[in-house]
């Protein structure tokens, strides 16, 4: 239960972060395109970071 709560708290940060970032972008530029581009930058950045993730491989005997 506490692990699920911790993960939920982590995911809820997006509900706070996105408006805090996109609002000033739109307010300063007045452009929906700039706001949508900023929205698209998050998943793009996540995909780039994910490219550098290396998983450990284990052999068939489980000896790791």
């Amino acid at each position: 239960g506490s692990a699920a709560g911790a993960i939920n708290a982590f995911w809820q940060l997006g509900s706070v972060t996105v408006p805090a970032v996109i609002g000033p972008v739109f307010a300063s530029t007045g452009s929906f395109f700039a706001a949508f581009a900023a929205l698209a930058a998050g998943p793009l950045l996540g995909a780039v970071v994910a490219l550098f993730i290396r998983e450990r491989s284990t052999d068939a005997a489980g000896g790791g």
Side-chain angles (χ1 to χ4, degrees), residues 8-57:
N8 187 33
F10 177 75
W11 282 106
Q12 290 300 320
L13 288 175
S15 298
V16 174
T17 306
V18 170
V21 171
I22 303 305
V25 168
F26 180 71
S28 65
T29 64
S31 166
F32 282 110
F33 180 78
F36 289 138
L39 276 173
L44 183 62
L45 179 63
V48 170
V49 169
L51 289 174
F52 294 101
I53 296 174
R54 300 283 183 221
E55 293 185 27
R56 278 193 231 157
S57 62

